[in-house]
Amino acid sequence: MKHCIIERDGGRISVDEWREVASGEPNFLVTDKLIQQNPFTKEFLEIEIPGSGYWVPSSMNLERFPYDGKVCFHFTEHGVRFIQYENPFDSVLTGIARKLGARVKLKSVDQS
């Protein structure tokens, strides 16, 4: 499984910087909760992680779970990870990365 991550080479993105940029983006909601669904039981789990939330892309042609049209993201020490979103050329993500002086990378889960 792969995901996109917005990272700044040679420096960290602060959660305050991330909140400021994300709050100005349509379809982004920073809730400070990472929501994950168990694929077997279908139960949802909320984990409190500052800077986390979800994004509803205008178009998404992915076979991914859950199939609700949302891309969950969470803030990490390395940047902002977009779970199961595999398009590092997405214009919204690259625009956000530019505002943060960062870039979008595609990584395997074991590379994060």
Side-chain angles (χ1 to χ4, degrees):
M1 179 183 345
K2 293 185 178 188
H3 58 260
C4 287
I5 186 166
I6 295 178
E7 290 182 318
R8 183 182 290 154
D9 291 331
R12 295 177 56 149
I13 299 168
S14 75
V15 73
D16 291 333
E17 286 178 282
W18 166 243
R19 283 182 199 282
E20 183 178 331
V21 171
S23 68
E25 293 293 326
N27 303 323
F28 271 76
L29 185 61
V30 177
T31 61
D32 293 327
K33 291 182 179 154
L34 176 62
I35 300 170
Q36 295 290 281
Q37 186 177 22
N38 182 318
F40 304 105
T41 66
K42 308 296 187 222
E43 292 178 284
F44 285 93
L45 173 67
E46 288 186 359
I47 306 163
E48 290 192 28
I49 302 175
S52 298
Y54 63 90
W55 164 43
V56 182
S58 58
S59 65
M60 184 167 58
N61 299 321
L62 297 175
E63 290 294 323
R64 55 184 285 286
F65 180 86
Y67 307 101
D68 61 1
K70 295 177 186 173
V71 174
C72 292
F73 57 80
H74 68 96
F75 188 82
T76 73
E77 63 184 83
H78 303 290
V80 184
R81 181 180 304 146
F82 294 82
I83 300 168
Q84 295 183 1
Y85 193 73
E86 299 180 6
N87 182 2
F89 306 107
D90 183 279
S91 62
V92 173
L93 294 187
T94 56
I96 290 171
R98 262 193 308 278
K99 291 175 186 176
L100 291 166
R103 61 188 176 135
V104 182
K105 299 176 183 178
L106 184 62
K107 293 193 171 186
S108 296
V109 172
D110 59 351
Q111 288 180 307
S112 318

